[in-house]
Amino acid sequence: MKRLFVLVLIFFLAIAAIVMWNNRSVFPSLPSAPSASDEESDGNDQAEDDTMCSAVWVATAYAIDYPEEPTQSADELKEQCKTILDEIAAAGIDTVYFQVRPSCDALYPSALFPWSRYLTGTCDDAPSDSFDPLKYWLKQAHKRGLRLEAWINPYRICAGANAASDFETLPDSSPAKQHPDWVVSYDGSYYFDPGIPEVRALVVNGVQEIVENYRVDGIQFDDYFYPGTDFDDSDTYTAYGKNQALDDWRRDNVNELIQDVYQTVHTCAKNKDCVFGVSPSGIWKNGTGGADGSKTTGFAHYSECYADSITWIQNGWVDYLCPQVYWEIGNDAADFQTLADWWSEQTRDTNIDLLIGLAGYKIGSSEYGSVWETDGIAEIARQLTLCQDTKNIAGVALFSYQNLRNNEDLSKKWTEYFSS
């Protein structure tokens, strides 16, 4: 009888363990502020927190958020960092996505990539006093109890109005100059070819360099994979296509990168709680709802940039997704609530956390319709409430910091939700 009791007890404990595993959140708890004795460390002690995550992107490309303008002054870069993080913490935000590789460059001393022109004004010019922005941002974020993830654009080399001149002035040490056969010009910009195995290895090695040297809380990719369907990779396809259809081959190239980065993060990271997430555009596929895609008619990353995010979920190749659902509630082409519900359903009963990206940049602009122009703050408030009330949504993320800085009403509204 005693043996039977023990067997029954073991059975129920096993069932409970399975249930707990299937319902666990892979999103780590927040770091506590370090003690005085930890001042020189990264300060990454963890504290429990069950509230919905509130994140913000801090963009370094094009002087969107940091720095205000390129400078080599370490003192100026430090002061701007502290100001930004103070305002972020005051708004109740707990996670910062800090853009450390906006292009084929770095905001930290790298053996693989030159210093970013967006930081100092000239590609490969270092800041003064051997200043390491990533190290400083990480330390200052953890001192304030904030998580900090390193946000990377994996394939972009030079983009924007000055792409041609920027490319010409890349230093000889740049991977793009060392391997011109890896580079494709597309729509006036320059990208690495995702179909070349050595290119994917470069991206993975860049991730490894970060996670081995810094106790970052995560690595995040945004939605820059293939830049368009007419990307000129015909020679690469001939060499590596293996009789696959072009679209499937391109998606496999992205899938291989995602798998390799996930493995690298979870085997090499200095911080064992480090996670890997992707922030794709808001629509996977346009469909009729359910498994074939959302009831939408917008840009779909499955077919437009060859990012098969549902396969990543199904195979556990990411720890979280943060789709950029940058439309209003009731939008005819891509309704916010339709997409929030659809993504919630895709992550149900999985170990993948779901955050929703919110379009703070649209507030007050006539370019995106009357709702955003005249009622943008209230729209964001409605979206926050909807996300809070929707199952499986672990948090929200705002693009970007400057919208909090420049809009006091948005900052107040965000604080109301997340600082209570």
Side-chain angles (χ1 to χ4, degrees), residues 85-102:
L85 291 175
D86 283 345
E87 293 177 351
I88 286 173
I93 291 168
D94 52 58
T95 297
V96 178
Y97 302 138
F98 179 51
Q99 191 177 30
V100 300
R101 289 245 308 281

Side-chain angles (χ1 to χ4, degrees), residues 27-283:
F27 209 75
S29 54
L30 303 181
S32 60
S35 65
S37 62
D38 294 330
E39 183 65 20
E40 296 305 317
S41 73
D42 286 330
N44 197 42
D45 297 331
Q46 301 291 319
E48 294 297 329
D49 195 305
D50 295 326
T51 60
M52 191 167 75
C53 173
S54 168
V56 66
W57 282 282
V58 176
T60 57
Y62 315 114
I64 292 175
D65 295 316
Y66 176 86
E68 294 178 3
E69 57 184 28
T71 178
Q72 287 185 283
S73 170
D75 289 341
E76 179 61 27
L77 291 168
K78 288 177 181 179
E79 287 305 310
Q80 288 186 36
C81 167
K82 289 189 288 187
T83 297
I84 291 171
L85 291 175
D86 283 345
E87 293 177 351
I88 286 173
I93 291 168
D94 52 58
T95 297
V96 178
Y97 302 138
F98 179 51
Q99 191 177 30
V100 300
R101 289 245 308 281
S103 297
C104 180
D105 54 9
L107 273 83
Y108 53 91
S110 171
L112 300 172
F113 302 96
W115 283 99
S116 176
R117 71 177 72 256
Y118 298 120
L119 182 70
T120 61
T122 302
C123 190
D124 212 26
D125 276 1
S128 65
D129 302 327
S130 300
F131 176 58
D132 181 342
L134 177 54
K135 181 179 179 180
Y136 191 80
W137 271 78
L138 188 61
K139 179 178 177 180
Q140 293 297 321
H142 287 170
K143 284 179 66 174
R144 291 161 175 78
L146 304 172
R147 297 179 65 257
L148 187 138
E149 298 191 19
W151 162 23
I152 293 171
N153 301 88
Y155 293 127
R156 186 169 65 190
I157 300 170
C158 295
N162 300 319
S165 60
D166 287 348
F167 186 82
E168 288 301 317
T169 58
L170 288 175
D172 291 340
S173 61
S174 169
K177 284 296 182 73
Q178 292 178 347
H179 304 280
D181 53 317
W182 294 359
V183 179
V184 176
S185 175
Y186 178 83
D187 197 23
S189 298
Y190 298 86
Y191 301 87
F192 284 121
D193 186 341
I196 297 175
E198 292 83 0
V199 165
R200 296 195 295 272
L202 173 66
V203 177
V204 173
N205 290 339
V207 169
Q208 184 172 345
E209 182 180 52
I210 293 172
V211 299
E212 285 186 340
N213 292 315
Y214 302 91
R215 290 182 61 83
V216 292
D217 297 292
I219 294 289
Q220 186 187 101
F221 288 174
D222 59 10
D223 56 342
Y224 288 95
F225 294 102
Y226 281 87
T229 57
D230 53 344
F231 187 76
D232 185 8
D233 57 354
S234 56
D235 290 343
T236 310
Y237 179 50
T238 298
Y240 299 105
K242 299 177 182 178
N243 298 317
Q244 284 182 287
L246 176 62
D247 289 3
D248 292 336
W249 172 74
R250 286 174 170 174
R251 275 186 287 271
D252 277 353
N253 293 330
V254 176
N255 287 343
E256 284 190 34
L257 177 71
I258 297 298
Q259 292 177 75
D260 290 346
V261 169
Y262 179 86
Q263 290 297 325
T264 298
V265 167
H266 287 284
T267 57
C268 300
K270 188 176 182 180
N271 175 10
K272 297 309 177 184
D273 289 326
C274 188
V275 296
F276 173 49
V278 181
S279 181
S281 63
I283 298 172

Side-chain angles (χ1 to χ4, degrees), residues 285-356:
K285 278 185 185 180
N286 295 299
T288 59
D292 73 331
S294 52
K295 293 181 180 179
T296 52
T297 57
F299 176 96
H301 55 258
Y302 178 87
S303 55
E304 300 294 331
C305 58
Y306 306 98
D308 189 0
S309 55
I310 297 304
T311 290
W312 309 341
I313 292 173
Q314 292 171 345
N315 289 280
W317 294 340
V318 293
D319 294 303
Y320 73 89
L321 284 181
C322 183
Q324 301 169 28
V325 186
Y326 289 168
W327 301 272
E328 69 273 13
I329 298 170
N331 184 283
D332 291 338
D335 171 48
F336 182 93
Q337 181 162 3
T338 295
L339 282 163
D341 289 342
W342 186 86
W343 282 107
S344 172
E345 183 61 24
Q346 307 318 304
T347 54
R348 182 170 61 89
D349 297 329
T350 74
N351 295 327
I352 311 303
D353 277 325
L354 173 65
L355 290 83
I356 300 294

